Amino acid sequence: MEGSARTRPLAQRGGDGLLAEIDRALKGRDIEALSRIYAEDAVIEEMSSRNPPAHPSVTSGRHAIMERLKNDLFHDPVSGWARQLDSTEILDGIETDDGLAFMEVRVYAAGDRVVAQHLARKKNGLIVHDRIAVVWDAE
């Protein structure tokens, strides 16, 4: 299925902006580049089976976000063991001057998948608040 320009993988759409930067950073496994899309005082709020809506995981500040990204991308969300990231893809991305929304799909060498749905607010071209719903394959 071809899909519209909005739903095709980012690599097929071209473009610039934060979505393209996120895509490049994820594919290059460049955590520092990924953390630079966040404002110094940015907040990530994550909901998942480990962090339900009543008690989301909250990370504040670019440095703390960078450390969190290092752990989230290269470690199992349940057991914490290190794992090899095989591929990443951004789907269903949309970006405006004030925000962006996208689905991030990660596939690991063992075949398991993690899907993260992001809804983020921007200020001065950087993310200031990123609300994420995360699901992963069961063991």
Side-chain angles (χ1 to χ4, degrees):
M1 180 164 136
E2 282 295 311
S4 68
R6 183 179 65 82
T7 60
R8 283 194 309 259
L10 192 64
Q12 294 176 9
R13 294 194 308 267
D16 46 8
L18 287 185
L19 280 175
E21 288 183 44
I22 292 166
D23 188 56
R24 281 190 295 272
L26 285 171
K27 288 187 172 155
R29 293 164 175 76
D30 188 344
I31 301 299
E32 288 185 26
L34 193 56
S35 71
R36 285 193 296 271
I37 66 163
Y38 291 93
E40 285 293 332
D41 60 347
V43 173
I44 290 181
E45 180 181 356
E46 178 188 306
M47 293 166 288
S48 67
S49 60
R50 289 183 314 153
N51 304 295
H55 303 287
S57 171
V58 177
T59 305
S60 300
R62 183 184 290 161
H63 180 73
I65 288 170
M66 184 172 70
E67 292 303 313
R68 178 182 179 151
L69 291 170
K70 285 179 188 176
N71 289 326
D72 284 358
L73 288 177
F74 303 116
H75 292 87
D76 181 83
V78 176
S79 67
W81 48 267
R83 60 188 177 164
Q84 180 181 341
L85 181 62
D86 224 15
S87 67
T88 61
E89 189 170 31
I90 301 289
L91 298 176
D92 297 329
I94 186 166
E95 182 171 358
T96 68
D97 290 341
D98 299 324
L100 60 115
F102 63 96
M103 179 182 287
E104 169 191 352
V105 180
R106 291 175 279 186
V107 179
Y108 292 88
D112 56 321
R113 295 176 185 270
V114 173
V115 175
Q117 182 66 52
H118 295 255
L119 181 59
R121 290 191 320 263
K122 294 176 6 184
K123 184 176 180 182
N124 299 322
L126 297 174
I127 294 173
V128 292
H129 191 270
D130 190 1
R131 185 168 286 126
I132 311 167
V134 182
V135 294
W136 52 81
D137 287 335
E139 291 184 49

